[in-house]
Amino acid sequence: MEKGNLTVEEFVLLGFLDLPKLREFLFGIFFFSYMIILAGNGLIIIITIRDQTLHKLMYLFLRNLSFLEICYTSVTLPRMLMSLQTQDGTISFLSCATQMCFLLILGATECFLLAVMAYDRYMSICNPLRYPIIMSRKVCILLAAASWISGILVQIGLTGQIFSLPFCDSNKLNHFFCDIPPVLKLACGDTSTNQLSVYAVALIFVTAPFLLILVSYVKIISTILKLPSATGRCKAFSTCSSHLIVVTLFFGSGTITYLWPKSSHSEDMDKFLSLFYTIVAPVFNPMIYSLRNKEVTVALKKFLSERFLC
């Protein structure tokens, strides 16, 4: 990789480096957010393993989602915190490529996992009699495993394609982490092939799962509205609303970043939106699922009372 007559060995993540007066405030906000993500998602993992009432298959997917959120944020937030603390956004070429690769793999996993969770809700509400047969424990474990491994080779290939480009003019990334749009902007020459690859991968790993979620919820809502009991309708909507909120947060920000034309939004907008799918969604996921799910709330209260009140 050559930059003029020089070898590009590192990038500089500008992030919040242009806001030195807000450094301590931003560090506090992001550090607090990271602690919430670790504690909140960690608690969900613990209670869904320990509490017998949460040994249902839907909580297997929730446990996977919580673990995924911890991994996803751990790829970006510690690096952001270090940059804010040291005011140094330098990241090596290999570290940048590695960070992007893990982000893409974990992002693809979340897309598929949210789609699997939507399908699980669809089978539970629309086909309750066939649900135990179709969504057996073995099938659910296979679906969860497939969500984790399905995008690995493709995302490694996409990362390799992007970082095989020559980089010139500047090594400064106007972002908090090594994401596709800011890295491609620094590449020299024609990147149209790479842009097409990004769109193709986004269609497979973002649009396809989102369409499956959409179809599932159209059928779910249609079935719920036909329920004779108002109590039954409220319970069914309550079960699904948590998942819908998470889907909206994650897919909404991700779609604008990767699929909308770049002329329709600025780099600053990309940076702002990236906070939603890397920080905001993982922070609120445990709250959304615990506050809107009575079984999780009861199990959480029981766990906390055993630990701190006894």
Side-chain angles (χ1 to χ4, degrees):
M1 317 299 170
E2 292 187 354
K3 175 191 169 189
N5 296 322
L6 300 174
T7 301
V8 174
E9 297 180 350
E10 62 186 24
F11 293 100
V12 178
L13 296 168
L14 298 180
F16 298 104
L17 294 180
D18 58 339
L19 301 170
K21 293 182 179 179
L22 295 177
R23 180 175 64 87
E24 293 182 359
F25 172 75
L26 292 171
F27 181 88
I29 292 292
F30 291 133
F31 180 79
F32 183 63
S33 298
Y34 192 41
M35 292 300 103
I36 290 177
I37 291 167
L38 294 179
N41 287 288
L43 272 174
I44 285 183
I45 293 171
I46 291 169
I47 64 173
T48 54
I49 291 174
R50 290 176 57 88
D51 198 293
Q52 293 294 323
T53 62
L54 300 183
H55 284 187
K56 299 175 183 177
L57 293 176
M58 65 178 287
Y59 295 112
L60 169 69
F61 297 128
L62 178 57
R63 184 159 61 246
N64 272 267
L65 181 63
S66 294
F67 179 67
L68 175 63
E69 298 291 30
I70 291 174
C71 296
Y72 197 65
T73 52
S74 295
V75 175
T76 57
L77 260 178
R79 182 83 205 187
M80 288 170 62
L81 290 170
M82 185 178 72
S83 296
L84 282 168
Q85 183 66 26
T86 62
Q87 284 291 282
D88 181 11
T90 303
I91 183 171
S92 70
F93 191 90
L94 180 59
S95 295
C96 189
T98 303
Q99 186 184 60
M100 180 188 289
C101 188
F102 275 104
L103 275 173
L104 293 176
I105 291 171
L106 294 171
T109 300
E110 182 148 1
C111 290
F112 281 126
L113 193 57
L114 290 173
V116 168
M117 292 174 76
Y119 180 71
D120 175 71
R121 292 299 83 213
Y122 159 72
M123 290 303 303
S124 176
I125 293 172
C126 300
N127 297 284
L129 298 179
R130 298 174 60 197
Y131 177 77
I133 300 171
I134 296 175
M135 298 298 287
S136 64
R137 185 168 187 81
K138 182 179 179 180
V139 168
C140 289
I141 291 173
L142 287 174
L143 286 172
S147 298
W148 281 94
I149 65 176
S150 57
I152 292 176
L153 292 178
V154 175
Q155 305 298 1
I156 290 175
L158 180 61
T159 304
Q161 184 190 60
I162 291 171
F163 280 88
S164 66
L165 291 167
F167 293 90
C168 54
D169 297 331
S170 174
N171 67 339
K172 293 179 172 58
L173 292 171
N174 187 21
H175 216 284
F176 315 114
F177 53 87
C178 293
D179 205 359
I180 292 176
V183 171
L184 276 181
K185 189 172 182 181
L186 297 184
C188 301
D190 183 18
T191 60
S192 57
T193 301
N194 304 90
Q195 295 284 2
L196 285 174
S197 297
V198 172
Y199 279 115
V201 170
L203 286 172
I204 296 170
F205 292 95
V206 179
T207 306
F210 179 73
L211 289 176
L212 177 59
I213 292 170
L214 193 63
V215 171
S216 297
Y217 273 102
V218 167
K219 294 187 176 183
I220 287 171
I221 292 171
S222 175
T223 301
I224 290 174
L225 292 176
K226 293 176 184 176
L227 292 176
S229 167
T231 304
R233 287 196 296 271
C234 289
K235 185 178 179 181
F237 271 123
S238 177
T239 302
C240 299
S241 59
S242 302
H243 186 251
L244 274 174
I245 294 169
V246 173
V247 166
T248 303
L249 280 173
F250 184 78
F251 278 95
S253 54
T255 299
I256 295 173
T257 300
Y258 291 103
L259 290 174
W260 278 28
K262 297 303 168 190
S263 58
S264 64
H265 55 100
S266 64
E267 286 184 341
D268 289 335
M269 178 61 75
D270 278 345
K271 289 167 67 175
F272 175 74
L273 290 170
S274 70
L275 295 177
F276 276 87
Y277 59 83
T278 57
I279 299 176
V280 176
V283 165
F284 282 102
N285 280 2
M287 301 179 193
I288 291 168
Y289 279 107
S290 61
L291 292 176
R292 301 187 65 85
N293 188 308
K294 184 175 286 187
E295 289 180 324
V296 174
T297 304
V298 171
L300 184 59
K301 288 179 179 178
K302 179 182 176 183
F303 175 80
L304 293 176
S305 64
E306 289 174 352
R307 288 292 170 275
F308 300 107
L309 299 180
C310 293

